[in-house]
Amino acid sequence: MTRPATLAAAFAPFHELADELLPHAFSGEDGSHDAAHLIRVWKNAARIRAEEGGDARQLAAAVLLHDCVAVEKNSPQRAEASRLAADKAWQILDSLGWHRAEISSVAHAILTHSFSANIPPETLEAKILQDADRLDAIGMVGAARCFYIAGRMGSGLYDPLDPLAEDRPLDDKAFAIDHFETKLFRLADGFQTAAGRRLALERQQRLRDVLTMVLDEI
């Protein structure tokens, strides 16, 4: 298993902060919310921040801890995941001596990043985290994560008789490609920053291309 110290280099220039926070960053075995996901979200966040601004250290902490409490997609507590993660992040950063205002900012970003929580982000850092995390849910990686999660949940890829749900209700718990319509295609409309919106449009087209190719092959 890769050691946190090795992974920390991916969060430069905040590798020392990553050394402190990576041991607390995961609480489950979900490969769609793993170290690779954190690194991708950090790259997305850094790219957006380069255009939009924001406090880089707070953003790094929010990225590192935004999934620190794992709640399965099919759990009735799913909408509480970001609140639980924000509470845990508060305790962790407090133990490391962070100032209360900084902790509050990081916790707010974590609380509001989740689609399931449906809480509007109020700070620039929170808006960037939400955009950076949602970018990882669309595009080619988003499609791969969707199929991975469907496999973990025991879902099928598609309804063999009605893949586009033309004569049935959409059911993304039963069929992976239904999730494209119930959630993934809707994400591009909710981006908070100009940079995030531009990147989202590019990735949403890739996601549509994936669905088109799947439908062609079946």
Side-chain angles (χ1 to χ4, degrees):
M1 181 176 179
T2 306
R3 295 183 302 168
T6 302
L7 295 175
F11 297 88
F14 299 101
H15 49 278
E16 293 182 0
L17 176 64
D19 263 334
E20 292 181 313
L21 298 185
L22 278 168
H24 307 283
F26 313 103
S27 64
E29 298 296 328
D30 180 357
S32 67
H33 294 91
D34 57 1
H37 169 67
L38 291 186
I39 293 170
R40 291 192 304 270
V41 173
W42 172 241
K43 289 179 178 179
N44 292 338
R47 187 174 179 183
I48 295 170
R49 182 188 167 275
E51 297 185 33
E52 304 285 344
D55 188 294
R57 180 170 175 263
Q58 291 177 23
L59 189 57
V63 168
L64 284 158
L65 296 176
H66 79 279
D67 285 330
C68 66
V69 174
V71 179
E72 289 287 4
K73 293 286 188 181
N74 59 355
S75 169
Q77 285 191 303
R78 180 60 189 170
E80 294 295 307
S82 65
R83 181 186 62 78
L84 295 171
D87 290 346
K88 181 178 176 181
W90 187 288
Q91 296 173 7
I92 292 166
L93 296 178
D94 184 56
S95 72
L96 294 174
W98 280 50
H99 296 302
R100 187 177 184 87
E102 293 179 307
I103 298 174
S104 180
S105 177
V106 173
H108 172 72
I110 293 171
L111 174 66
T112 60
H113 89 275
S114 169
F115 181 85
S116 301
N118 194 29
I119 302 172
E122 297 178 358
T123 65
L124 179 55
E125 292 76 21
K127 292 175 181 179
I128 292 174
L129 175 62
Q130 186 181 100
D131 283 3
D133 187 58
R134 291 186 182 186
L135 281 173
D136 205 49
I138 56 179
M140 295 298 294
V141 169
R145 293 176 72 209
C146 176
F147 293 131
Y148 168 84
I149 292 168
R152 290 187 77 241
M153 298 294 103
S155 305
L157 291 178
Y158 58 91
D159 182 338
L161 300 179
D162 188 5
L164 285 177
E166 294 173 330
D167 296 307
R168 64 174 176 82
L170 288 164
D171 184 0
D172 61 356
K173 292 183 173 59
F175 307 113
I177 68 170
D178 282 23
H179 195 59
F180 284 46
E181 290 292 347
T182 60
K183 179 181 178 182
L184 301 186
F185 287 149
R186 296 165 53 196
L187 291 177
D189 293 331
F191 276 69
Q192 302 289 327
T193 68
R197 285 190 292 273
R198 187 187 69 252
L199 295 169
L201 289 175
E202 296 172 2
R203 295 200 187 189
Q204 186 182 48
Q205 185 56 55
R206 295 176 193 171
L207 192 64
R208 291 193 181 279
D209 291 343
V210 169
L211 181 59
T212 297
M213 289 186 285
V214 169
L215 293 171
D216 179 68
E217 292 187 9
I218 64 177

